[in-house]
Amino acid sequence: MSIAVKKVNDDKVNDEFNLNLINPNVDRLYRYTDNLTQKIIGRKDLIIRQVTNGSDLYLLSEARKKIYAKHASYFSQFYNNDFFIDDKDYSSYLFACFFKGEIVGTQRIATYPFEVCQYINNKALSAFLGCDFQNNYIEFSRLAVNQDYGLGHGLAHALNVVAGILVTMSIKKSQYITYSKPKLKRKAANFDDDVIAFTISERENEKYELYKANTLISMSQLLGIAKQPGLSLYESINNVMMDEKRG
């Protein structure tokens, strides 16, 4: 399934942007995640893809501007020249849900240094995650959905799941962190009971919590894929996703 995405030339877009997932079977993964997206959202006219070029990065910026419009005074401080892309985006895995040529939802997965490092120091993170957390963890952040399309929580859930699958099955890092307001904590996620509570002064000292979990364990539970004898959980899940008979 393919959906035409309009191409936009803009001199503010870094044409060198390209952080493709290095996975020889990424097309097969997309076939699996496309079917999964349809099951989660209940419709066939949306696809989730990694953003890997300047044209789609521009569309991502435009989507963020629409989604963050109600809090523009806060979010605009992170971006320059009305281009809603920051430096961390250029070294992260970015994912977007495309609908009729527009981006209607986004998810970022970053490697260290993490966004949360602005609010929690490394000593505290090391105590929470382990002394080598910089190499062992990825961070889910900047999840945003355009509510004007009525896609809501289903799309947010799909973005989390699909982005997690694509990154985990490509770079083989399954331990992750994410943070949110306590009331927005995702009940479906397999978060550890231990959390770090903190506040963000720039957001009027709102309270947040940092969570940790494992994408492989979450995938196993969500997708009903058990660890097979003699195989790692990663290998067991990968075998199911690469099974051509399923797609």
Side-chain angles (χ1 to χ4, degrees), residues 40 106-109 138-145 152-165 168 174-195 208-219 221-222:
I40 293 175
T106 73
Q107 171 77 74
R108 181 166 82 185
I109 297 183
I138 54 178
E139 179 192 51
F140 283 62
S141 64
R142 300 298 172 94
L143 174 64
V145 171
H153 295 297
L155 176 52
H157 181 49
L159 277 163
N160 270 299
V161 173
V162 171
I165 287 173
T168 299
S174 60
Q175 296 185 90
Y176 76 95
I177 57 173
T178 190
Y179 69 90
S180 73
K181 298 175 184 177
K183 65 180 180 180
L184 299 178
K185 181 179 180 180
R186 288 184 287 123
K187 296 180 180 179
N190 188 39
F191 291 135
D192 191 274
D193 291 335
D194 193 17
V195 304
Y208 287 81
E209 290 180 342
L210 179 70
Y211 311 109
K212 59 183 176 180
N214 187 295
T215 54
L216 286 175
I217 294 174
S218 297
M219 278 188 265
Q221 295 175 344
L222 175 67

Side-chain angles (χ1 to χ4, degrees), residues 60 63-64 67-68 95 97 103-108 141-147 155-156 159:
L60 178 60
R64 280 179 174 171
I67 294 168
Y68 297 154
F95 298 90
C97 181
I103 288 177
V104 297
T106 73
Q107 171 77 74
R108 181 166 82 185
S141 64
R142 300 298 172 94
L143 174 64
V145 171
N146 189 332
Q147 301 294 340
L155 176 52
L159 277 163

Side-chain angles (χ1 to χ4, degrees), residues 19 31 55 64-65 75 120 124 132 167 179 182 184 188-189 216:
L19 196 67
R31 289 198 291 275
S55 295
R64 280 179 174 171
K65 280 193 282 188
F75 283 104
I120 305 174
D132 198 25
V167 171
Y179 69 90
L184 299 178
L216 286 175

